[in-house]
Amino acid sequence: MHCLWCHDSILVEVSWGNVFMPSRRSPLCSACTNKLQLLDGRRCVRCSRYSNQTVCGDCIWWKDIFQDEDPLAWNYSVYHYNDPMKEMISRWKYRGDYLLGEAFRWPFIDAFKQSFLKWDKAAILVPIPLSVVRHRERGFNQAEMLTAFLDRKSVALLQRKDGEKQSKKSRQDRIFAENPFRMKKTINKPVILVDDIYTTGATLRHAANVLKQQGCPKVCAFTLIRG
Amino acid sequence: MQSINQTVPSFNKPLSTELSRQFAGKRLLRQEIQVESTVFTRLLAEQQFTATPSMVRQQWKLTCQRCGNQTPHLIGRMPCFRCQSTHAYCRKCIHMGRVSECEALYIWSGEIPGWTKHEDPCTWKGELTTQQQLAADRIVQAIDNQEKELLVYAVCGAGKTEMLFPGITAALQRGWRICIATPRADVVRELKPRLQTAYHDVSIEALYGGSPDRSGTAQLLLATTHQLLRFYRAFDVMIIDEIDAFPYHADASLPYATKHAITNQATTIYLTATPRPKDQSRLNRGKLPHVFVPVRYHGHPLPVPQLKLVWSLKKHIQHFTIPKELSDWLINRKQPNRQLLIFTPTIMLAERFYTPMAALLQNLGIIEHTEQLATVHAEDPNRTEKVQQFRNKKLLVLITTTILERGVTFPSVDVAILAAGHTVFDEAALVQIAGRAGRSGDDPTGEVIFFHDGKTDAMVQAIHSIKKMNHRAGLE
Ligand SMILES: [Zn+2]
Ligand SMILES: [Zn+2]
């Protein structure tokens, strides 16, 4: 077996943890695994950002904007956005190395079990879509790949209009820009939005807004990375 | 063959010529061809571009046609939104854009641009030594006769760039396209101004990851070997510098790329100071045409390394202490004002030896203050600056890994290897490291010493091959 990131060969150590579940073996070597930083310790309860306060400055800002009607109840993320993670995301998402996403499978599943299993069991997963143009360019949607890791019903409820690259806009621009999402059909169950990264939270809130306006009772988000 | 396309009705002549300049000799993904889709469709219909499969399956084995990769773990599969099926893609060359099974690679099959036939392109005013001239003549002969390949086996410091000039000139006079490929971006960067001075009126581009030159449309190209992946049947003369150097000899995709980047009648010139066993044995069996340049441009012999046994070397390495043998050598150097290169096998050793070495060098008066000593290795972001400071003599001593074994030249240094028995120091590395000394005509000697705790074959072979070259040059 070879490490998905550095391609070095991995000596498979059989431990009691994986002897009955060979598929749980990490596709990254231990050196590459250790470069990624799982979010732990004190974090903002609303957005998962490292924070000494219960609710971070970002989230207080959002609260003011929406005057206590924030459409996104909360977000939970798995990883910190450090430099090795930035490089990995760039190869996975922008270069389009689909397989690299497998590196996140088990940490993503474990974090989901930890933080969402006790939440509303009827909640449905909704991946954040790409626009058709971008989707064709990349060949796959990273949010759909992440959603498929999880053992929970998912529906591709949202559609995204074509537009300029989100990453090139400032936070202000993203927030006050026209909502890029529309719904294919309505839903009356709670929704867990799934995406690769929570950066400003604007994209997820646009999606949450559309869902809530069409009658969805509650929306939260599960993302791989807190940017 | 190309005449069919020369009277394309829908494109006027200048546009067609412009496109052929841009795309001839390349094999590209659609995303790398920056023309609008209506234009592209038309170019395809007119067979100015030809679509070729990007991945080919033979007996269960898939091969990426751009980089030649067929290593199973470097071929991924993905459910593709574009074609709505699950198929393979290449993970090996993905940094240059993804090669997917459902997408073609496009080869320009339209008009072939005529490159300028330069009457007298060489503006270099220097003179070659007799030995350089002999090699240069042999290179010209190979190019003139369109021989398939020629290995130039030239010692470190032979002045190989200058030796290439007559051959480059001959090719330019015929209106041919030339590529000089080297494994290292530093070398490409350094070579560009030298060549532009030597060929003032020739279009020259330097291509490496992140280079300001990007288009790859010059007649004379300098490129890292990775950049060759985009070229297809482009070059009439291909010069591959340091054919033995990592990653060229370790990565099969690079010989694959060079093979595809040349035309069918092309001449490939390999340059090396330390041929790998594979080339060495072809050479010995008379299967590889070659020319030797056993003498340095200044005519003095190569310094022969001294071996120094240090019994307690392992202990010193474990405790990061300096062996007495090393300090004795430092004290007794014949030319104490030469700068010093001290090679270590690992980054960790290079860094951990900094403090004890600084103390010792200060005690011996070799450096006045610790800022005159630095460590340098491949992951060091300030690598280029440190090398520059060593050139300016702001730094007097460098502790380095094999990163400085080749490519960089300093006029007057002594060289030591700490733990020369380590496996990173193979024969080629040892010869290259020894080749750092005595590079200047003003100080053509220099001390080279290998500290070890047991002779390795690599050390014995390196010394043997250095002596053999001196012997061949009649300098023994
Ligand atoms: Zn490839
Ligand atoms: Zn496809």
Side-chain angles (χ1 to χ4, degrees):
Chain A
M1 196 168 133
H2 290 82
C3 173
L4 268 183
W5 178 248
C6 72
H7 308 316
D8 277 357
S9 61
I10 306 176
L11 295 172
V12 180
E13 285 172 40
V14 179
S15 70
W16 289 113
N18 64 21
V19 68
F20 301 113
M21 274 175 92
S23 64
R24 274 226 57 160
R25 284 173 195 154
S26 168
L28 295 181
C29 71
S30 55
C32 290
T33 305
N34 291 337
K35 282 184 204 163
L36 301 182
Q37 204 180 338
L38 286 165
L39 285 164
D40 51 15
R42 297 185 63 90
R43 58 165 89 188
C44 168
V45 296
R46 298 287 302 270
C47 76
S48 265
R49 193 173 101 161
Y50 272 133
S51 172
N52 281 325
Q53 293 141 306
T54 324
V55 176
C56 76
D58 271 17
C59 290
I60 292 168
W61 187 85
W62 278 118
K63 206 170 155 232
D64 288 347
I65 291 269
F66 285 104
Q67 288 151 12
D68 293 328
E69 310 250 317
D70 191 339
L72 191 69
W74 48 286
N75 165 68
Y76 190 87
S77 306
V78 186
Y79 285 103
H80 184 59
Y81 203 30
N82 61 1
D83 287 341
M85 181 57 101
K86 281 179 195 168
E87 277 178 53
M88 224 180 255
I89 292 299
S90 151
R91 191 159 97 195
W92 178 42
K93 204 165 114 172
Y94 300 115
R95 300 277 179 212
D97 192 355
Y98 175 82
L99 210 57
L100 200 53
E102 283 295 331
F104 309 125
R105 179 190 285 269
W106 288 104
F108 201 65
I109 291 173
D110 290 345
F112 185 76
K113 283 184 185 158
Q114 239 175 51
S115 25
F116 287 89
L117 229 50
K118 286 184 215 107
W119 201 61
D120 203 324
K121 289 221 161 54
I124 284 174
L125 305 176
V126 175
I128 294 291
L130 295 173
S131 74
V132 174
V133 172
R134 188 115 312 126
H135 204 164
R136 282 186 60 89
E137 248 170 47
R138 291 199 191 146
F140 68 93
N141 175 357
Q142 70 282 356
E144 282 173 15
M145 185 176 186
L146 290 170
T147 306
F149 290 157
L150 305 174
D151 184 20
R152 177 71 72 97
K153 186 176 157 56
S154 76
V155 187
L157 266 186
L158 296 167
Q159 236 173 13
R160 191 183 198 135
K161 296 172 212 157
D162 280 318
E164 50 191 307
K165 276 205 173 113
Q166 280 292 315
S167 52
K168 286 189 180 150
K169 291 187 196 167
S170 73
R171 171 146 105 169
Q172 294 289 326
D173 289 349
R174 283 195 216 186
I175 293 155
F176 300 108
E178 194 199 338
N179 196 322
F181 299 107
R182 61 175 215 87
M183 276 177 78
K184 293 191 210 166
K185 57 178 186 204
T186 54
I187 189 165
N188 53 14
K189 293 198 176 94
V191 159
I192 303 169
L193 290 168
V194 180
D195 206 357
D196 55 334
I197 182 162
Y198 179 112
T199 311
T200 63
T203 306
L204 287 161
R205 281 181 174 81
H206 274 311
N209 227 340
V210 175
L211 286 163
K212 289 201 92 169
Q213 276 165 11
Q214 311 271 327
C216 174
K218 193 154 193 177
V219 185
C220 66
F222 183 43
T223 50
L224 185 66
I225 300 157
R226 177 61 172 93
Chain B
M1 187 171 96
Q2 65 270 32
S3 62
I4 312 162
N5 296 314
Q6 268 165 6
T7 49
V8 174
S10 47
F11 288 107
N12 59 25
K13 189 77 185 157
L15 176 62
S16 191
T17 305
E18 162 79 34
L19 288 170
S20 77
R21 279 269 146 168
Q22 222 176 320
F23 297 118
K26 300 220 181 96
R27 177 160 58 181
L28 300 170
L29 293 168
R30 173 64 186 94
Q31 69 193 61
E32 296 174 291
I33 302 168
Q34 275 156 21
V35 300
E36 277 183 39
S37 64
T38 49
V39 176
F40 187 70
T41 313
R42 197 164 2 139
L43 288 168
L44 263 182
E46 289 167 357
Q47 295 176 342
Q48 306 228 53
F49 271 117
T50 303
T52 64
S54 60
M55 302 196 93
V56 170
R57 191 182 294 277
Q58 250 177 347
Q59 295 160 340
W60 307 108
K61 224 174 193 182
L62 266 177
T63 308
C64 167
Q65 295 302 295
R66 181 167 68 184
C67 74
N69 166 38
Q70 21 176 254
T71 310
H73 75 266
L74 294 177
I75 292 182
R77 290 180 68 76
M78 58 177 270
C80 177
F81 178 74
R82 190 163 13 204
C83 69
Q84 298 293 319
S85 69
T86 295
H87 58 67
Y89 69 95
C90 180
R91 304 188 66 219
K92 176 104 185 245
C93 61
I94 200 160
H95 56 281
M96 311 195 71
R98 184 179 58 211
V99 168
S100 300
E101 217 175 354
C102 74
E103 273 182 280
L105 282 167
Y106 297 97
I107 296 169
W108 179 258
S109 46
E111 179 189 336
I112 292 178
W115 298 96
T116 314
K117 289 183 179 167
H118 299 264
E119 214 170 290
D120 187 14
C122 190
T123 43
W124 183 65
K125 293 288 176 277
E127 251 178 65
L128 296 175
T129 65
T130 316
Q131 285 285 347
Q132 285 178 322
Q133 191 65 55
L134 284 172
D137 291 346
R138 182 64 188 88
I139 294 169
V140 171
Q141 185 194 359
I143 290 172
D144 276 347
N145 298 338
Q146 300 194 307
E147 292 174 38
K148 224 172 130 42
E149 50 184 3
L150 174 71
L151 178 87
V152 180
Y153 184 172
V155 294
C156 301
K160 57 187 174 180
T161 309
E162 291 77 11
M163 267 184 276
L164 294 172
F165 289 165
I168 293 172
T169 304
L172 288 169
Q173 282 168 337
R174 288 164 175 250
W176 283 350
R177 210 173 174 200
I178 306 149
C179 178
I180 304 178
T182 156
R184 294 158 53 120
D186 311 13
V187 179
V188 174
R189 242 178 269 129
E190 187 218 26
L191 220 48
K192 164 118 192 249
R194 279 172 75 191
L195 276 156
Q196 196 68 74
T197 316
Y199 294 94
H200 203 264
D201 300 320
V202 177
S203 59
I204 301 179
E205 263 184 290
L207 301 180
Y208 48 91
S211 59
D213 294 342
R214 306 220 64 109
S215 70
T217 54
Q219 185 166 5
L220 175 53
L221 273 168
L222 314 173
T224 53
T225 24
H226 276 117
Q227 297 295 321
L228 295 179
L229 290 175
R230 291 206 174 94
F231 290 91
Y232 185 74
R233 305 277 173 260
F235 303 105
D236 307 290
V237 175
M238 171 69 75
I239 299 163
I240 303 171
D241 190 21
E242 307 213 60
I243 179 84
D244 60 298
F246 182 84
Y248 191 91
H249 91 96
D251 184 349
S253 73
L254 299 173
Y256 177 94
T258 22
K259 200 177 93 197
H260 286 84
I262 58 175
T263 63
N264 290 327
Q265 302 79 32
T267 303
T268 304
I269 313 273
Y270 307 107
L271 305 177
T272 180
T274 45
R276 294 280 156 185
K278 198 179 104 227
D279 288 330
Q280 188 89 55
S281 90
R282 281 180 71 205
L283 192 145
N284 292 341
R285 284 182 290 131
K287 291 274 160 67
L288 181 58
H290 57 273
V291 54
F292 281 109
V293 189
V295 62
R296 294 182 149 181
Y297 78 97
H298 54 49
H300 294 267
L302 299 163
V304 179
Q306 225 183 304
L307 296 183
K308 186 74 200 167
L309 184 66
V310 182
W311 285 112
S312 50
L313 190 61
K314 288 210 171 60
K315 216 178 74 204
H316 286 290
I317 282 171
Q318 275 160 16
H319 298 104
F320 310 108
T321 52
I322 312 272
K324 182 168 180 308
E325 289 83 350
L326 176 59
S327 54
D328 285 349
W329 174 72
L330 287 170
I331 295 164
N332 295 314
R333 286 191 302 149
K334 290 172 205 85
Q335 295 283 339
N337 45 354
R338 278 190 200 127
Q339 286 174 282
L340 261 171
L341 288 174
I342 300 168
F343 287 84
T344 64
T346 64
I347 295 177
M348 198 266 285
L349 270 187
E351 284 179 340
R352 296 294 292 272
F353 266 97
Y354 178 86
T355 314
M357 197 63 85
L360 175 67
L361 293 168
Q362 259 183 317
N363 272 340
L364 297 177
I366 294 172
I367 58 172
E368 276 173 38
H369 45 84
T370 51
E371 286 86 75
Q372 289 171 317
L373 169 72
T375 55
V376 59
H377 51 77
E379 285 163 30
D380 185 346
N382 302 322
R383 197 172 104 200
T384 327
E385 290 82 62
K386 287 180 184 170
V387 168
Q388 195 50 46
Q389 286 171 358
F390 193 68
R391 285 218 168 90
N392 305 337
K393 307 214 169 155
K394 273 177 93 175
L395 284 167
L396 296 178
V397 183
L398 274 181
I399 306 175
T400 174
T401 60
T402 55
I403 184 74
L404 293 187
E405 79 174 34
R406 54 172 90 217
V408 283
T409 311
F410 307 108
S412 186
V413 291
D414 284 334
V415 181
I417 303 181
L418 195 62
H422 194 283
T423 48
V424 299
F425 298 118
D426 59 10
E427 181 193 338
L430 293 172
V431 171
Q432 291 285 354
I433 288 169
R436 298 308 100 201
R439 292 298 282 264
S440 144
D442 296 330
D443 184 15
T445 58
E447 292 180 47
V448 180
I449 186 159
F450 298 167
F451 295 97
H452 66 92
D453 60 355
K455 250 190 255 181
T456 60
D457 287 346
M459 291 180 225
V460 176
Q461 286 301 324
I463 292 175
H464 174 71
S465 86
I466 289 168
K467 284 185 171 164
K468 205 166 84 183
M469 277 309 213
N470 283 341
H471 177 72
R472 202 186 284 273
L475 291 170
E476 232 181 9

